[in-house]
Amino acid sequence: ALAELHVRGVLSDGRLAELRAALGELTSRTLDDGTSKLRIERRAGDDRLQRLIEQTLAGGCTVIGCDTQHFGLMQVLESIEANAVSRG
């Protein structure tokens, strides 16, 4: 599943590096309004989203929202097919 956290506050390159070191793969994008979206992939039962929220708050950011997306069978199959095609 994907989780995307929408935050307000400064996320320096150093802070993002700390988050990646603690959580593994993490993508970040800054929106036109100065807020940021942090995206992680997580598995059922892991605590990565909770840790991301806690560490983001501890860094002085405000959480505006959080969206999660679960993968269905069709999405998994499409992802496998796309990887197979890209490998040639």
Side-chain angles (χ1 to χ4, degrees):
L2 290 176
E4 187 172 70
L5 198 62
H6 189 187
V7 300
R8 180 179 297 121
V10 177
L11 289 166
S12 67
D13 290 340
R15 184 70 185 139
L16 287 171
E18 289 173 7
L19 289 171
R20 286 184 180 108
L23 301 168
E25 187 175 337
L26 168 99
T27 59
S28 170
R29 64 185 171 106
T30 303
L31 305 178
D32 292 338
D33 63 1
T35 62
S36 298
K37 291 211 173 183
L38 305 173
R39 180 179 282 191
I40 59 171
E41 190 171 320
R42 55 190 292 266
R43 300 189 196 291
D46 77 15
D47 66 345
R48 294 182 72 225
L49 179 58
Q50 179 66 32
R51 291 180 11 219
L52 176 61
I53 292 170
E54 290 171 355
Q55 292 181 21
T56 301
L57 291 172
C61 291
T62 302
V63 175
I64 299 170
C66 181
D67 295 315
T68 58
Q69 176 185 9
H70 298 280
F71 293 115
L73 179 58
M74 184 57 86
Q75 290 166 315
V76 171
L77 293 174
E78 288 172 353
S79 175
I80 292 169
E81 181 180 4
N83 285 336
V85 168
S86 68
R87 291 181 185 164

